[in-house]
Every structure is written in C-alpha cells, then in structure tokens.
Amino acid sequence: DKKDAVAGAEKNKQQFILVLVSCFLALVFLLALFIFRGYKQKQKANNIITQQKIEVEKQKELVEEKNKDITDSINYAKRIQDALLREEEHISMHLPEHFILFLPKDIVSGDFYWGIEKRDYWYFAAADCTGHGVPGAVMSMLGISFLNDIVSSEGLHSPAEILNLLRIRVIKELRQTGGAGGSKDGMDISLVRLNLKTYELEWAGANNALHLI
C-alpha cells in the first residue's frame, strides 16, 4: 500500500508537471504567433511605406522636372522680353545724368519702359500691366509691340493720340467686348513726347498722374 501510494503521488506529480509544461508551451506558442503576426503586419506596413516613398520620390522628380521646364521657359521668355526692352543708351541718350530702376518681382516683369526717336521727336513711356509674372510679361510684350506699330505708322501722333490708338489695339486684339467674364487686361501708362529742337514736352497718361518737379 505504501509503495502504491508513493507511485500514485509520483504519477500525480508527473501529470501536474506535464500539464504545467503543456500550458507553458501553449503560452510560448501563442506569444510566438502574436510576435509573428506583428512582424508580418510591420513588414506589410514597411512595404507600403517603402512603396509610398518610391511614389513620393517619383512625384518629386516629376515636379522638379516640370519646374525646371517651366523655369527654363520663363528664362527664355525673359531673354525675349529683354530683347524687346530697348537698350538703356538708346532709351535715354537725350536725358541728363540719370539711372533706370527696373527690378521685376518675378523672372519676367509686367512693367516695361519704352522709347523711340522719330523726326526730331523723342517718345518715352513707362507702363505697369495688369498681372505680374508670365501674364504681365505677355501684356508688356504686347504693349511694346503695339507702341512700335503705332509710332512707326505714317504721321506724328501726340501722346494722347497714341494712347487712344493703343487702347483700341488692346481692345481689338484681346477681343474685349465688355461682357461678363471677358478679358479686362490692360496697362497703366505714362507717355511723353519731347521735341528735340524746341524742347517742348507733351505728356499723356492712363491711370497715372503727372508730377512736375
């Protein structure tokens, strides 16, 4: 009986140890499963982040390429605008000592200065077009072109007549009908004509006042 009791106790002890080890192994398995699941989710998230990073890099490269193309185009437009703006020496050969301040807000400018000599008269203008940057620069180039066409035509026009003709050209070429949603682009401008023999100075302005000092 004593041996049977000892054997029974030993058997119960072994069963208890077996159950304990089984529970421990089950916990280890569940923990390993949880860790593995977390690792796979993290790996999946990392793959998504990596893919997103690749997409962002591609978009960044595309934006930089487009930005370079746009900047190159604007810089080329600046070369055209600079070519249209007369050389300072030609603009101001009839002026005393002076300087011209021309500082575009962007690469190209919506402001322009213009000058030309014709039959003992010297014409000079300074203008501020609607908009700035590329839209303003387009208007400035149109303004210079229109002024050249008007002054190069037969006859001598007063500053007021030139501005009236310029207004007509802007309305016609930009198809400004005055309707809702239509183009309202234009320019504020001061225009003078100097008689190089009598030094009589004539002036006309659109949305600009004259200050005589």
Side-chain angles (χ1 to χ4, degrees):
D1 292 339
K2 187 176 181 180
K3 287 182 178 181
D4 290 341
V6 171
E10 187 66 26
K11 184 177 181 180
N12 290 336
K13 182 179 178 182
Q14 290 177 353
Q15 288 178 344
F16 175 75
I17 293 173
L18 181 63
V19 171
L20 189 63
V21 170
S22 298
C23 291
F24 176 75
L25 291 176
L27 288 174
V28 170
F29 176 77
L30 290 175
L31 181 61
L33 185 65
F34 178 77
I35 293 173
F36 179 76
R37 182 183 176 189
Y39 169 76
K40 295 299 290 184
Q41 288 179 342
K42 184 177 180 180
Q43 190 178 43
K44 183 178 179 181
N46 287 338
N47 290 336
I48 294 174
I49 292 172
T50 302
Q51 189 63 33
Q52 288 176 342
K53 186 178 179 181
I54 293 172
E55 290 297 324
V56 169
E57 289 294 331
K58 288 182 179 179
Q59 292 296 326
K60 181 183 177 182
E61 290 175 1
L62 182 63
V63 168
E64 288 176 349
E65 182 179 351
K66 293 294 183 182
N67 185 58
K68 183 178 181 302
D69 291 341
I70 293 170
T71 303
D72 289 344
S73 297
I74 295 174
N75 283 325
Y76 189 78
K78 175 177 173 56
R79 291 172 57 189
I80 297 173
Q81 187 179 44
D82 289 344
L84 286 175
L85 291 172
R86 297 299 183 113
E87 292 294 333
E88 183 175 339
E89 290 78 9
H90 180 77
I91 283 283
S92 52
M93 66 176 71
H94 302 294
L95 292 177
E97 186 177 356
H98 67 284
F99 64 89
I100 294 177
L101 182 65
F102 184 68
L103 299 173
K105 178 179 180 292
D106 299 304
I107 298 174
V108 289
S109 176
D111 302 330
F112 71 89
Y113 56 89
W114 169 88
I116 196 170
E117 187 177 339
K118 181 179 180 181
R119 297 183 196 171
D120 297 325
Y121 284 95
W122 179 60
Y123 295 86
F124 178 78
D128 174 16
C129 300
T130 53
H132 57 81
V134 175
V138 172
M139 278 302 302
S140 73
M141 288 187 271
L142 284 176
I144 292 171
S145 177
F146 291 162
L147 285 171
N148 286 332
D149 287 344
I150 292 169
V151 176
S152 64
S153 63
E154 291 299 321
L156 288 170
H157 300 293
S158 69
E161 291 171 334
I162 292 173
L163 291 191
N164 283 331
L165 291 171
L166 178 61
R167 178 177 179 273
I168 292 170
R169 285 292 297 273
V170 169
I171 292 173
K172 177 183 177 182
E173 299 299 335
L174 299 184
R175 295 178 175 83
Q176 295 178 343
T177 60
S183 170
K184 296 180 181 179
D185 295 310
M187 63 194 73
D188 301 340
I189 184 170
S190 278
L191 176 66
V192 296
R193 183 176 76 169
L194 176 66
N195 187 319
L196 297 175
K197 291 184 176 180
T198 66
Y199 292 103
E200 179 184 18
L201 185 70
E202 299 174 74
W203 170 88
N207 291 327
N208 276 348
L210 174 64
H211 298 273
L212 181 61
I213 301 175

